[in-house]
Amino acid sequence: MDLPSEKPLKIHLVNSTESPEFTHLTQSLTRSSIIGLDAEWKPIRGQTHQPTFPTVSLLQLACQLGHDSDESETFLLDLHSVPLPSIWELLRETFVSPDILKLGFKFKQDLVYLSSTFCLQGCDPGFDKVEPYLDITSIYYQMQHKQQGRKGPKETKSLATICKEVLGISLSKELQCSDWSHRPLTEEQKTYAAADAHCLLKIFNVFQDNIVKKGNSSNDMVELHSSGVNLGLKEILEKHDIDDKIIRIKYFEASHIFQATVSSENCQRIAEVDVAVSRTSSRNTMPMNESLLKIVRKYGEKILLRESDRKPKAARKKAKKHPSLVAVTREKQLDNTGDWQGPPPWDLSLGGDGCPKFLCDVMIEGLAKHLRCVGVDAAIPSSKKPESRELLDQAYREQRVLLTRDAKLLRHQYLIKNQIYRVKNLLKNEQLLEVIETFQLQINEDQLMSRCTKCNGRFIQKPLTTEEAVEAAKGFQRIPDCLFNKNLEFWQCMECNQLYWEGTQYHNAVQKFIDVCKLNE
C-alpha cells in the first residue's frame, strides 16, 4: 500500500493548565474520535525490589481531528509541571468516553504506573479502566490474519517492528531509556515521544483502510441520518422518534456555532443543556461515525485494572523467595529416585550383549551427540514431540536406558525397571562425564569418532580412498576440491551413507574428547 507523504508532526508541550496549549488540548479532545496514548517515565536500574511503581513523567496524546481527516495534533502533557489534581477528571473522562477510541501499545503497564502516579498526588483511586480501547498488537495480528488467511504468530512484535512492516518507516527507540524526569526535555525527546503516540494513529488508519470497505462509512451515515439530517436542533428535540446519536451530533454542531458567536455569559445557557444531551460525559465530545463504531463493536477491547495490578510485582512475589520445606523435600526425593539402581538391560547377567545403549529425550539431544562422539550407542526419539508412552516403548523395545531431565518420567519406572535415569547436570560435557561415571562406561581413544553423529550408525570397517569417496558421494554429498591433494582418509556411515574425513575438525574433536574424558590421565 502506498502511504501518503508524511506531514511534519504538530507537537504541543502542555506544562500549565493556564497555557494556550492546554486549552488547545481540551478543544482537540472534543473534536477527536481516535487518540493514541503513550507514557514515559525514568527507568529504574539496578533495583531488584521495587516498593513502588515508577513515576510517570510524560503522557502523550495524539488526537486525530474529525472523522475523515488526516489532520492530527500531538500533545505532550508534562506531569512534572502540571498539578495532577487539575487534570485528573479530564483524563478519567477521556479514558472512559464512549465517543473516543483509545489506541495503545501494551498500555496496561502505562495505565498502572499512571494510576499510581496520580494516587501519590491525592487523586485516589487514580484510573481503573480504558474503554473502548484497541491494542496496536491486536490490530497488527488482525491485518496479518486478513492478508495471509491464517492466525498471526504468537511471538510478540515490538512497536518498531510493527511500524516497519505496516508503515515502512523506522521508529528509533534510542531515547526510550533516557531520563524523562529531567527538565527541560530536549527537542529529540519531544520528537521521540510524539512519534511513539502519533504512529499509533497511522497504523490504525492502515488497518481501517484494509478492514472497512471503502464507501461503507458514507452510505451508512446517509441511511442513519435520513430521517433527521435536514432538521434543525429545535425540531429534532421536539421529535420523539429521532435516534439519540443524531441528537448528539446535531447538538455538537450547534453548540460550536453558538459558542463562536455569542458572549461568554450566554455560553452558560448552552452548558446547562449540555448536561441533558450528553448522558455519559460532562464534556461535549463528538460522537463516533458509524464506520468507526463498527470497528469498535467488532474489535474493541478494554483495560481493566484489578486490585492486584496496583501492587508492585516484586512485593507480590516476595513470599515465593524462600521455597517451602515440602518443595525442597520433594525435589530431594525426585533426585534420589533418579539415582541409578542397576543393573542395565545390556548386562551380561541379564542376557544382554554387554554393549551400552541409551535413548536421550528431546531435552538432552546434545548429550546424544556427545555420547556418539565417544563411541557409545545413543539414539534419539522416533518423533519430534514424543509422548511419555512412546519414549518408554522405544526404550523397552530397543533395550536402552532412557536418559532424561524430566522428573515426571520417573513416575513410570515401574513400567520399565532399571531403564530410566534422570541426568542432573545441565552442561553437555558434565552430562557426558555423569553418564560415563554412573554406568561405568569404558572409553578409550580408539572409540572416539567411531559412530555417525548424524544418525548413530557405525562406520564401515576400513577407510575409503579419495577415488572411492568421490564415487560414494555422487548425487549425495559434495567433497570440497581442497581435500583432493591432502591424502586424507574417508569414512562412510553404514546406515545413512554420510561421508566423514580426518581433517582439522576431526582432529580437534578427538582432542576435545580426550580432554573431556581425561583419557591422558
Side-chain angles (χ1 to χ4, degrees):
M1 167 177 277
D2 295 329
L3 295 174
S5 58
E6 290 293 319
K7 299 178 182 178
L9 283 182
K10 296 179 181 178
I11 305 174
H12 307 280
L13 179 63
V14 183
N15 50 25
S16 169
T17 54
E18 305 298 324
S19 65
E21 289 81 10
F22 181 75
T23 303
H24 189 26
L25 168 62
T26 57
Q27 291 174 346
S28 296
L29 289 175
T30 64
R31 296 175 55 199
S32 303
S33 292
I34 309 171
I35 62 172
L37 296 171
D38 193 28
E40 306 294 346
W41 53 85
K42 180 181 179 179
I44 299 177
R45 299 182 178 90
Q47 294 187 21
T48 307
H49 303 291
Q50 290 179 227
T52 59
F53 291 115
T55 300
V56 178
S57 304
L58 195 70
L59 177 65
Q60 303 101 281
L61 302 99
C63 302
Q64 184 163 303
L65 307 178
H67 288 309
D68 303 308
S69 171
D70 288 334
E71 184 183 0
S72 62
E73 308 266 3
T74 304
F75 298 88
L76 309 181
L77 194 52
D78 186 354
L79 302 185
H80 272 321
S81 304
V82 177
L84 301 192
S86 66
I87 58 173
W88 180 36
E89 286 298 335
L90 172 67
L91 293 180
R92 279 173 63 89
E93 290 178 8
T94 300
F95 288 165
V96 299
S97 171
D99 297 330
I100 302 175
L101 172 62
K102 276 70 67 173
L103 306 174
F105 180 76
K106 301 179 183 176
F107 191 70
K108 182 174 182 178
Q109 183 187 49
D110 301 54
L111 186 65
V112 169
Y113 293 176
L114 197 64
S115 182
S116 171
T117 300
F118 273 75
C119 283
L120 291 175
Q121 296 296 319
C123 303
D124 195 46
F127 308 105
D128 58 357
K129 65 179 177 179
V130 175
E131 183 183 19
Y133 170 78
L134 252 180
D135 196 284
I136 289 302
T137 302
S138 299
I139 290 175
Y140 170 77
Y141 288 152
Q142 286 293 340
M143 285 193 288
Q144 292 296 99
H145 175 64
K146 205 75 176 176
Q147 292 170 1
Q148 301 174 10
R150 60 178 177 83
K151 291 184 178 180
K154 291 184 178 179
E155 67 271 13
T156 303
K157 297 276 188 176
S158 67
L159 182 58
T161 301
I162 294 176
C163 276
K164 187 67 177 178
E165 291 187 21
V166 177
L167 304 178
I169 60 175
S170 297
L171 187 67
S172 172
K173 305 301 291 183
E174 292 181 5
L175 296 177
Q176 184 177 24
C177 294
S178 61
D179 187 354
W180 292 96
S181 65
H182 183 73
R183 294 294 180 272
L185 295 172
T186 65
E187 291 302 316
E188 291 78 10
Q189 283 180 309
K190 293 177 188 177
T191 303
Y192 167 89
D196 259 16
H198 181 259
C199 72
L200 305 178
L201 299 180
K202 304 297 291 183
I203 294 171
F204 178 79
N205 287 338
V206 175
F207 171 72
Q208 195 170 21
D209 288 342
N210 277 274
I211 301 299
V212 181
K213 293 181 180 179
K214 292 183 178 180
N216 277 2
S217 176
S218 58
N219 292 338
D220 291 342
M221 291 298 284
V222 168
E223 293 176 9
L224 181 65
H225 292 199
S226 59
S227 60
V229 69
N230 294 319
L231 299 178
L233 180 60
K234 180 180 178 181
E235 289 85 351
I236 285 177
L237 291 174
E238 290 174 349
K239 283 182 172 285
H240 298 285
D241 58 346
I242 298 296
D243 191 289
D244 179 64
K245 185 168 180 230
I246 299 175
I247 297 176
R248 297 178 67 203
I249 292 174
K250 281 294 182 179
Y251 176 73
F252 177 84
E253 296 170 352
S255 65
H256 276 263
I257 295 173
F258 185 74
Q259 290 175 17
T261 56
V262 301
S263 63
S264 59
E265 291 81 8
N266 287 332
C267 284
Q268 181 63 31
R269 294 172 59 192
I270 198 166
E272 294 172 0
V273 182
D274 181 43
V275 175
V277 175
S278 182
R279 299 185 179 95
T280 57
S281 173
S282 60
R283 293 187 307 110
N284 182 25
T285 53
M286 180 174 64
M288 294 183 189
N289 61 24
E290 193 66 18
S291 173
L292 187 57
L293 273 174
K294 284 184 177 180
I295 293 180
V296 170
R297 290 191 194 107
K298 186 171 183 180
Y299 303 104
E301 312 165 28
K302 69 177 176 181
I303 302 175
L304 184 63
L305 297 189
R306 298 178 176 85
E307 195 60 36
S308 59
D309 294 320
R310 300 180 183 276
K311 300 176 183 178
K313 290 184 178 180
R316 281 186 282 163
K317 291 184 178 179
K318 195 170 183 180
K320 298 182 181 180
K321 181 178 179 180
H322 302 290
S324 65
L325 180 61
V326 174
V328 172
T329 304
R330 186 181 178 193
E331 185 65 27
K332 287 183 177 179
Q333 288 175 344
L334 288 174
D335 284 340
N336 293 334
T337 307
D339 289 341
W340 181 249
Q341 304 298 321
W346 57 78
D347 192 279
L348 295 175
S349 64
L350 298 178
D353 57 9
C355 297
K357 294 193 293 184
F358 298 95
L359 171 64
C360 298
D361 73 2
V362 292
M363 298 176 68
I364 52 173
E365 284 190 8
L367 173 59
K369 290 188 176 181
H370 270 42
L371 286 168
R372 293 170 185 174
C373 286
V374 297
V376 177
D377 186 341
I380 59 175
S382 304
S383 58
K384 291 184 178 180
K385 295 182 179 180
E387 298 290 337
S388 298
R389 177 64 67 175
E390 293 179 62
L391 288 171
L392 299 172
D393 288 346
Q394 184 177 350
Y396 179 77
R397 186 175 61 253
E398 299 175 7
Q399 290 296 288
R400 298 179 181 275
V401 169
L402 172 60
L403 301 178
T404 181
R405 287 275 306 155
D406 187 358
K408 295 178 182 178
L409 281 173
L410 300 178
R411 302 171 186 168
H412 306 293
Q413 279 192 332
Y414 69 94
L415 293 175
I416 50 172
K417 187 177 180 181
N418 295 335
Q419 284 189 241
I420 303 180
Y421 174 73
R422 185 187 180 209
V423 179
K424 298 173 181 60
N425 286 290
L426 295 174
L427 302 178
K428 291 193 291 285
N429 288 350
E430 294 175 359
Q431 289 175 344
L432 175 62
L433 289 176
E434 179 185 343
V435 172
I436 290 174
E437 181 180 345
T438 300
F439 293 91
Q440 300 180 357
L441 304 180
Q442 300 299 317
I443 307 297
N444 59 62
E445 192 171 337
D446 292 337
Q447 290 178 249
L448 301 184
M449 314 309 292
S450 61
R451 300 191 77 91
C452 176
T453 57
K454 182 179 178 182
C455 78
N456 193 42
R458 300 288 294 184
F459 291 131
I460 56 176
Q461 297 300 309
K462 65 181 184 68
L464 302 177
T465 64
T466 302
E467 292 76 15
E468 290 173 331
V470 170
E471 186 65 27
K474 282 184 179 179
F476 172 72
Q477 186 179 355
R478 181 183 176 277
I479 299 177
D481 296 338
C482 62
L483 301 180
F484 291 151
N485 298 323
K486 294 187 177 182
N487 295 320
L488 299 177
E489 289 187 336
F490 294 83
W491 297 86
Q492 188 175 29
C493 174
M494 291 186 288
E495 300 293 332
C496 68
N497 297 322
Q498 180 77 17
L499 285 168
Y500 295 82
W501 51 87
E502 296 184 359
T504 304
Q505 290 184 355
Y506 166 82
H507 292 294
N508 289 342
V510 168
Q511 187 59 51
K512 170 186 173 180
F513 287 103
I514 287 176
D515 296 338
V516 170
C517 299
K518 302 175 183 178
L519 298 182
N520 286 334
E521 297 181 5

